[in-house]
Amino acid sequence: MTLKNNGKKLLLAGLAAGAFLYWQDNALTVTQMTCTTVVPKAFHGYKILHISDLQNKMFGKNQERLIYKAECTAPDLIVITGDLIDRNRTDLDAAMDLIRGIVKLAPVYYVSGNHEHWSGEYEKIAEMIASYGVTVLEGETTKLDLNGNVIQIAGVNDPDKFSDFSEWESQLEQVKAERNDDDFTILLSHRPELVQWYAESGFDLVAAGHAHGGQVRIPFILNGLFAPNQGWFPEHAGGMYQLEKTTMVVSRGLCKNNLPRIWNPPEVVMVELVPNEV
């Protein structure tokens, strides 16, 4: 009898653990952040939806769950900071289902991640999403104008596009040169570990991904166990960070990895801009 009861307990524990891990990999959360900054008063309450690291993950048929979450946030602007696909699963269906849904909600801006370049499909991906009206940024700067008030949006490719890191630095220097001190400026870049370059860039807001939330988190204790290019106990795995006068927002991303996500469900980030002088 004892062996039978122990077997039932083990079975129930296994089912509970499996359900928890499934929920952790497939739950979809919206993380709300407020950026109190030098943004023009006309942009008070302006909402930026930040999406990163989809890597072919599906959230319902035709991404309906993900698109619904995005729609519910009522974004004014949507930014994608790379890794729409996974290098080992280079079909574009998951990415294009998302793109077709969100371009109806707000202007969409995109920069590449390492997986697009690892796949060898980057040019095809960039061309396809641009055909739906997404602005693909590759060392360029564009402007949003609201009644004469301007936000500049700049973007750089992932460093893995280049054969030498100095080429990425040159692309960053290019967008820095186009930055206007009188405007609120946003930089889109896949890698959060390049904090030295961002802190010295002069941009008001940087959006990044790549870290996958450090894979395993313990709320209020551990904000990430391991992240690509940061290693163990990463400093910038997900959340909002102050880098001198620059604010960096790092999305924990959406993808399912080889190891389960623990207390780290897939997320999209909603950043609301609030002027520091209203």
Side-chain angles (χ1 to χ4, degrees), residues 6 14 97 122:
N6 287 341
D97 283 343
Y122 170 67

Side-chain angles (χ1 to χ4, degrees), residues 2-14:
T2 302
L3 288 175
K4 187 176 181 180
N5 288 338
N6 287 341
K8 287 182 178 179
K9 290 178 181 179
L10 287 172
L11 177 60
L12 289 173

Side-chain angles (χ1 to χ4, degrees), residues 136-173:
V136 178
L137 296 172
E138 301 179 288
E140 295 120 353
T141 302
T142 187
K143 293 183 178 182
L144 288 172
D145 188 294
L146 184 61
N147 300 323
N149 297 277
V150 174
I151 287 181
Q152 286 187 303
I153 305 174
V156 290
N157 288 109
D158 185 81
D160 278 353
K161 172 182 172 63
F162 308 106
S163 58
D164 190 275
F165 185 72
S166 64
E167 296 178 75
W168 181 85
E169 291 179 298
S170 295
Q171 198 177 76
L172 180 63
E173 288 299 320

Side-chain angles (χ1 to χ4, degrees), residues 55-75:
Q55 292 182 216
N56 295 85
K57 174 74 174 173
M58 290 295 295
F59 292 90
K61 184 179 179 181
N62 302 323
Q63 298 288 18
E64 58 187 12
R65 288 177 56 218
L66 181 52
I67 294 167
Y68 176 73
K69 283 282 189 182
E71 184 177 9
C72 287
T73 66

